[in-house]
Amino acid sequence: MTCAVRGSGGGWWCAGVRWPGEVPELGWSRGGRRRVSVLAYEAGLGFRAVGERHCVGARGNVCPLGAVVPGRSTGGRCAECARLDRAHSVAADTMADDPRTYRVYLAWFGPGLVKVGITGEERGAARLREQGAVAFSWLGRGPLMAARRTEEVLRAALGVPDRIPYARKRVERGHLPGTDERAAEVAELYARAAALEGRGWPESLERLPLEVVDQVGIFGLDRAPEAEAETESGPGPAPVPLPVSVPVRAVRELVDGGVVAGRLVAAAGPDLHLAVTGGGVVVLDTRLITGWDLAAESGSDVRVPLIDIGGGGVQGGLF
């Protein structure tokens, strides 16, 4: 990956991971211009953060204040830009006259970890990949307000949430059951949801047939690449493969001069799984890198604050 330094010449800022298809891409922006870098598993990826992190703006517009934002913010926006961005989102319920068709989906992230949501039909499954859904099925399609009403009915009747913290997803991603078990849990939720037809289900929402889509292969979570290890002859492959599905640490935040570099072995939602020398697999939430000036780095090194996945303990001595 080539990362550009913004500087006074106006370089490119990273906009995080996108999933327009079944291959992840890093988005970049410079003023009103956009470009992407297609990511490939087993390829090297690395950068060094420079200076301060600035607000990424809202709805394609530059932040008028050029505000500095905290390193741990996954939104990457100042309070005003965050408000503007939220006000124009589908979730804000301010688009009642939206003529587009929407789909209701049931998403599975791990045992007992399911949610209901909606997305524009023209986007296909991009929203499910952006959220890191390991498996999913469509439930229905129709106007926005009918899709939103169905989402509310399922939350109330079945106790299914409409959002799940990414930290929970990462923990569950480390010990996934088999394909059949994943499909069975989605099918069970679908049956419970379909049973609500005629009991609060909007008539204008067309129910779609059950079809479980499993995304483990797309995310690369079924692969077990070799981790880099130091040997007497220098860096080389370790004799025992390291499962991608068991990352042990995650980047907590970037800092000026901090380095994140490794070999991309998997990706799910905004998360990139990087194999690093002597450190197993580290997860980078790319929402943490938006708004930073980034300079290219090589190797398999991590010199930013990390946190244990699941345990919550912060690693020390990383600089």
Side-chain angles (χ1 to χ4, degrees):
M1 177 184 75
T2 300
C3 299
V5 176
R6 188 172 71 97
S8 59
W12 294 84
W13 272 1
C14 187
V17 169
R18 301 175 180 179
W19 289 90
E22 296 187 353
V23 177
E25 300 176 350
L26 275 179
W28 301 90
S29 65
R30 180 169 65 187
R33 299 173 60 191
R34 301 288 185 271
R35 72 180 187 186
V36 298
S37 300
V38 178
L39 301 178
Y41 298 140
E42 295 304 318
L45 185 153
F47 60 83
R48 171 172 44 86
V50 180
E52 296 179 311
R53 187 187 189 193
H54 292 85
C55 174
V56 297
R59 318 305 294 182
N61 299 307
V62 175
C63 174
L65 303 176
V68 174
V69 295
R72 299 185 193 181
S73 167
T74 54
R77 293 183 173 90
C78 67
E80 181 62 18
C81 287
R83 183 189 66 79
L84 291 173
D85 188 70
R86 175 73 180 180
H88 292 85
S89 70
V90 172
D93 283 340
T94 59
M95 305 163 63
D97 58 347
D98 191 330
R100 295 173 295 176
T101 298
Y102 283 80
R103 288 199 173 199
V104 181
Y105 61 80
L106 304 173
W108 186 93
F109 300 91
L113 209 60
V114 294
K115 63 159 283 187
V116 58
I118 69 173
T119 185
E121 186 168 68
E122 75 280 1
R123 297 200 66 208
R127 180 63 176 154
L128 282 303
R129 292 188 287 268
E130 290 169 356
Q131 294 186 19
V134 176
F136 74 91
S137 177
W138 300 116
L139 177 64
R141 63 186 297 273
L144 173 59
M145 289 298 103
R148 178 65 73 206
R149 173 59 180 165
T150 304
E151 184 183 42
E152 294 172 353
V153 168
L154 266 60
R155 287 206 311 266
L158 305 181
V160 181
D162 63 344
R163 60 184 66 226
I164 296 172
Y166 275 95
R168 288 281 311 280
K169 298 177 185 179
R170 293 186 192 107
V171 171
E172 296 301 328
R173 204 182 295 154
H175 35 79
L176 298 174
T179 305
D180 292 343
E181 291 90 337
R182 299 195 292 266
E185 193 162 346
V186 175
E188 189 273 338
L189 178 60
Y190 177 93
R192 293 171 59 204
L196 295 174
E197 277 192 286
R199 294 189 293 156
W201 183 300
E203 293 183 0
S204 56
L205 191 90
E206 171 193 356
R207 181 156 65 91
L208 296 173
L210 171 68
E211 184 177 352
V212 179
V213 178
D214 196 283
Q215 303 196 115
V216 163
I218 293 174
F219 293 153
L221 298 173
D222 56 347
R223 303 161 59 253
E226 294 177 333
E228 293 296 318
E230 293 289 342
T231 65
E232 293 183 359
S233 59
V240 180
L242 177 70
V244 175
S245 58
V246 191
V248 294
R249 295 175 297 172
V251 172
R252 185 180 65 177
E253 63 180 315
L254 299 189
V255 294
D256 181 23
V259 172
V260 177
R263 183 162 42 85
L264 181 65
V265 292
D271 290 349
L272 301 181
H273 293 208
L274 301 174
V276 299
T277 301
V281 175
V282 171
V283 173
L284 169 66
D285 183 342
T286 57
R287 296 175 301 171
L288 296 174
I289 70 178
T290 59
W292 280 99
D293 290 343
L294 302 177
E297 286 280 345
S298 60
S300 299
D301 193 14
V302 177
R303 297 196 302 270
V304 294
L306 303 179
I307 189 169
D308 291 332
I309 294 178
V314 176
Q315 302 292 315
L318 297 167
F319 295 92

